Amino acid sequence: MTVNDNELYYEIHGNPDGETIFFIHGAPGLGDCRSDIKAFSALGDDYQLVFMDMRGSGRSEGKPPFTHEQWTADIEEVRKKLVGKPIKILGGSYGGFLTLEYVLRYPDSVTHVLLRDTAPSNEFDHLSVDRALESNLPGITEEMLHKLFEGRVDSNEELKEMFAAIQPLYTVEYDEAAVKERIDSIFYRYETHNFAFSENKPNFNLVKDLHKIKVPTLVTVGRHDWVTPVVCSEIIAEHVPNSKLVIFENSGHSPHAEENEDYLKLVRQFLQENK
């Protein structure tokens, strides 16, 4: 689909007569919609599910800019073209940043917000760096982490090497074979990553605006999340008036995958209770 002069890859799954949920992936320049499809496709019995690779990620074209304003405008254009009415939206990690910005920019386009392991500001990045350094994992150095978090990666090869080094931090149970397969399957787009982390992230702070979100909001996080620790979700839930916080005790950064059955049960219950 051509969206704001850029080709976007998307997939529609599930019940065409059901209410629509949009899924916004994280890790710009590293992520795409495949992991969300794997985790959430079971919701397709009741809901129509829309997955997309954001501009500059996955299989989508990479015309700049890679700003939050552009990414949220892309989401809105896809909503208009595919649905034409308000949607539910679920965003994880960096996709949660965009989900928060989307509902703040387009409040009439959203009926429910679902957030997974995300943050309302860049205030706690130092905790992620400290946690990674304390792990004493091979390949992780302070210089590497700052280069990654500050968007100063030199190539796709370097981005792959850095991302591989931090993988054991993401989950409670580490599956080396599965991680290697995933690392080798990623569409690496270091320019997108660099812009997101050097230009967008330093100025990212939505805390003062969170009270404006009036729709039902589910905030979830893994207890052992290293990159968007629990405190980030607690702040979101504290400031969004109609919100519910759920902490998954046996997960890291991906409770939707690590505790998939319980996660989907929670999503269904939340949407049923907040019709």
Side-chain angles (χ1 to χ4, degrees), residues 24-28 54-55 57 66-73 75 89-106 110 113 115 118-119 196 200 204 206:
I24 311 302
H25 68 78
M54 300 303 291
R55 174 187 299 252
S57 291
F66 306 124
T67 60
H68 289 186
E69 182 178 9
Q70 183 63 66
W71 277 325
T72 54
I75 296 168
I89 186 167
L90 191 158
S93 195
Y94 199 107
F97 303 172
L98 299 182
T99 296
L100 286 169
E101 291 223 18
Y102 179 74
V103 69
L104 288 168
R105 291 175 186 270
Y106 305 97
V110 180
V113 171
L115 301 168
T118 191
N200 299 338
F204 177 67
L206 301 176

Side-chain angles (χ1 to χ4, degrees), residues 120-140:
S121 73
N122 63 5
E123 186 178 347
F124 296 96
D125 284 358
H126 65 282
L127 297 179
S128 307
V129 172
D130 290 347
R131 178 86 171 267
L133 291 174
E134 289 166 4
S135 72
N136 293 316
L137 286 166
I140 293 181

Side-chain angles (χ1 to χ4, degrees), residues 48-252:
Q48 177 172 259
L49 314 176
V50 176
F51 304 92
M52 69 187 87
D53 292 354
M54 300 303 291
R55 174 187 299 252
S57 291
R59 293 145 292 188
S60 288
E61 193 177 3
K63 289 182 180 176
F66 306 124
T67 60
H68 289 186
E69 182 178 9
Q70 183 63 66
W71 277 325
T72 54
D74 289 348
I75 296 168
E76 176 65 357
E77 189 65 17
V78 174
R79 183 196 68 81
K80 288 179 180 177
K81 288 189 174 187
L82 294 184
V83 186
K85 57 185 178 181
I87 59 171
K88 309 173 197 311
I89 186 167
L90 191 158
S93 195
Y94 199 107
F97 303 172
L98 299 182
T99 296
L100 286 169
E101 291 223 18
Y102 179 74
V103 69
L104 288 168
R105 291 175 186 270
Y106 305 97
D108 294 335
S109 298
V110 180
T111 63
H112 299 75
V113 171
L114 302 100
L115 301 168
R116 193 267 304 162
D117 297 85
T118 191
S121 73
N122 63 5
E123 186 178 347
F124 296 96
D125 284 358
H126 65 282
L127 297 179
S128 307
V129 172
D130 290 347
R131 178 86 171 267
L133 291 174
E134 289 166 4
S135 72
N136 293 316
L137 286 166
I140 293 181
T141 65
E142 188 167 2
E143 180 184 2
M144 181 272 274
L145 289 170
H146 283 293
K147 197 171 183 182
L148 182 66
F149 274 84
E150 293 167 12
R152 296 186 286 108
V153 180
D154 292 325
S155 67
N156 286 330
E157 292 72 25
E158 184 176 53
L159 183 59
K160 180 178 181 179
E161 181 180 316
M162 290 175 167
F163 196 50
I166 60 177
Q167 285 307 295
L169 297 169
Y170 279 94
T171 55
V172 172
E173 296 182 9
Y174 181 61
D175 185 335
E176 186 173 357
V179 167
K180 184 182 186 308
E181 182 179 351
R182 177 170 176 250
I183 288 293
D184 290 341
S185 74
I186 288 172
F187 301 96
Y188 292 93
R189 313 277 288 272
Y190 80 99
E191 300 95 339
T192 310
H193 167 86
N194 282 349
F195 192 96
F197 281 81
S198 66
E199 299 294 332
N200 299 338
K201 193 89 185 291
N203 301 311
F204 177 67
N205 192 333
L206 301 176
V207 175
K208 64 178 174 43
D209 294 319
L210 293 178
H211 71 278
K212 299 176 184 175
I213 299 175
K214 304 303 183 184
V215 297
T217 301
L218 177 64
V219 185
T220 63
V221 63
R223 174 65 72 186
H224 308 284
D225 190 343
W226 77 282
V227 70
T228 51
V230 170
V231 63
C232 300
S233 289
E234 290 175 336
I235 290 171
I236 295 172
E238 178 186 340
H239 287 83
V240 176
N242 188 12
S243 64
K244 175 179 181 177
L245 172 65
V246 177
I247 300 172
F248 283 80
E249 298 295 338
N250 299 309
S251 291

